[in-house]
Amino acid sequence: MDGNMLIEIIKGGLPILNSTVSAIAGAVVTTLFLRKNTSTTEFEKIKAGKFKDVIDSLLDSGKMSYLEYYKCKNFLQIAQKADTMCDEENSTEQEFRDFDWFIRFYEYASNICNEEMQILWAKVLAGEVQRPNTTSVTLLHTLSMMQQQQAFAFRNISRFALMDIKGDFAHLLLFISTNRESYEREAITPTILKELERLDLLECTFSDEYIFMKKKIFKTGNKVITVYGDPENQGKIKAGNVQFTKDGQLLYSVLDEDSKRYRGDILDFTITKFQRRNCRVVINDREIR
């Protein structure tokens, strides 16, 4: 019996907020810890969502070590948080083609006991449940190495990202090379950015800038921001020194909206930077001068 079959069997007996998350958690626990000689009672507890009863019983019977208990408890706490993040009304039945992903998730996430970091891991799990096969294993590996202050730093810089007009890509607009002191007041330094680059969440170039050509359209809230390139420099739009990697995009996508809210003062600063690069800026069909 493979993991996907276990998910379907367990899902049928879970009367909770979002059966998919608990079915996955149950399938992981069953796969890793239940043996052929495990009583039917334990499996029925899994189907009923009584995970703590099961792992307590396995620990008491000597079928689970204290380390395994610690890791399983962490994983179940994360799964419980993810369960509350999933939107049951808008969810659809999905085929989880890669149950191995959830086993990998367990291997990495089960070492996380910090509450704030568990919330971040729960967002990643909820995202994969709602959009199957979209979250890379490399992002799980990155998160497993990430310290709490690095997670806070990533969330902090995410305030400076504007969404592409297509809505599926975030553009970080950080002009570190020319405004280092301004960003340091926001707790953003080259050292912090390089740490996140080593985690493969960012790409940084402090000697030059990333370039858009001719025209670029962003959006934030109800604002559509169109930037036209410098006509005296082949239509180039110099767009700062930092951009998200593919995994950085994935992590950005699971952050809560408060973390990604683009403040008015940041927008004003960004517009000024583009204008000083001889670019025209239009917001909702009104040119900014």
Side-chain angles (χ1 to χ4, degrees), residues 159-201:
R159 297 178 297 137
F160 292 79
L162 284 174
M163 290 302 297
D164 194 275
I165 189 62
K166 296 177 182 178
D168 58 354
F169 201 85
H171 299 283
L172 260 179
L173 299 171
L174 290 168
F175 304 89
I176 297 293
S177 62
T178 54
N179 295 84
R180 182 171 298 188
E181 291 184 1
S182 298
Y183 288 107
E184 284 179 351
R185 288 194 289 271
E186 298 287 341
I188 299 173
T189 66
T191 298
I192 289 171
L193 293 172
K194 282 298 182 181
E195 285 185 13
L196 296 176
E197 184 176 51
R198 285 192 289 273
L199 289 169
D200 198 30
L201 295 172

Side-chain angles (χ1 to χ4, degrees), residues 119-130:
I119 291 172
L120 181 58
W121 279 91
K123 289 175 180 176
V124 172
L125 178 58
E128 178 63 19
V129 168
Q130 294 184 306

Side-chain angles (χ1 to χ4, degrees), residues 37-47:
N37 60 351
T38 301
S39 68
T40 303
T41 302
E42 301 302 332
F43 188 72
E44 291 302 318
K45 288 179 181 178
I46 289 283
K47 288 185 65 176

Side-chain angles (χ1 to χ4, degrees), residues 242-255:
V242 187
Q243 63 182 11
F244 287 127
T245 62
K246 182 178 180 180
D247 281 345
Q249 291 283 345
L250 288 171
L251 185 56
Y252 177 85
S253 71
V254 303
L255 294 180

